[in-house]
Amino acid sequence: NLSANWLADIRLPEFIMATIHATEFRAENLILEITETGVMTDMATSLDVMTRLRLKGFKLSIDDFGTGYSSMEQLQRIPFGELKLDRAFVQGAAEKPAARAILASTLEMARKLNLSTVAEGVETQADLDLVRGLGCDLVQGWLIAKAMPVEQLIEWLRERGS
């Protein structure tokens, strides 16, 4: 996750690139999450930093989509490749027609913009079935796994052959 402070630092793209080169990690394997409100602090510098990150091959994800001030404008102006739907639009959408409509239309819009999608806050089988049925690419939430220390995560991934 990148905070507004990080996005205000024009040296960020080179810093991240130098750091991953030292570890032989590849830029295209790193997704940098940015909250909508993080972009709003200094729009000109943030756009410069994010554009240079994309040019270096990093993927940008708009986190908590739908909870910020100008979601649609951000999608138009910023070079995002992924849209993460806030849990507020996912949880209970299977039972709430209005929430389901917002979720479905947001996923459809993301498809039309060629953005991959992630549903946050998937905590029930009904949530999972709904977002899968609506064509969401990825999910995250307690139904899949609760937050865990890195050592436990590595073991969890090994058990699943990931």
Side-chain angles (χ1 to χ4, degrees):
N1 288 5
L2 295 179
S3 71
N5 290 339
W6 279 94
L7 292 175
D9 185 346
I10 59 170
R11 300 167 300 173
L12 179 67
E14 288 71 27
F15 170 76
I16 294 176
M17 191 59 115
T19 303
I20 67 163
H21 276 308
T23 63
E24 297 183 19
F25 195 78
R26 294 175 38 195
E28 61 268 15
N29 293 330
L30 181 63
I31 299 173
L32 303 169
E33 294 183 7
I34 300 162
T35 58
E36 292 178 79
T37 52
V39 175
M40 298 304 291
T41 312
D42 178 357
M43 183 60 88
T45 302
S46 294
L47 281 171
D48 178 35
V49 169
M50 288 185 287
T51 300
R52 288 189 299 121
L53 285 166
R54 287 290 288 163
L55 290 171
K56 291 182 180 300
F58 295 101
K59 296 176 185 168
L60 301 181
S61 176
I62 185 167
D63 195 18
D64 299 330
F65 181 78
T67 61
Y69 298 104
S70 54
S71 303
M72 302 301 179
E73 180 185 0
Q74 303 292 19
L75 287 177
Q76 185 175 342
R77 296 175 77 187
I78 299 170
F80 290 111
E82 178 181 88
L83 184 145
K84 290 186 80 173
L85 286 148
D86 189 73
R87 70 180 60 250
F89 300 106
V90 175
Q91 294 177 337
E95 297 84 30
K96 300 175 191 167
R100 185 171 47 255
I102 291 169
L103 180 62
S105 63
T106 304
L107 288 168
E108 178 63 23
M109 177 192 62
R111 267 191 296 284
K112 288 179 179 180
L113 294 172
N114 294 315
L115 300 173
S116 61
T117 53
V118 179
E120 296 180 311
V122 174
E123 296 185 4
T124 67
Q125 189 63 46
D127 292 341
L128 180 60
D129 293 343
L130 177 62
V131 296
R132 278 186 174 162
L134 293 173
C136 189
D137 298 310
L138 300 168
V139 298
Q140 86 183 53
W142 286 9
L143 181 66
I144 309 306
K146 297 191 186 229
M148 61 186 83
V150 70
E151 300 81 19
Q152 192 177 347
L153 171 64
I154 292 168
E155 184 59 32
W156 184 86
L157 290 169
R158 277 193 193 120
E159 291 172 3
R160 283 154 188 79
S162 301

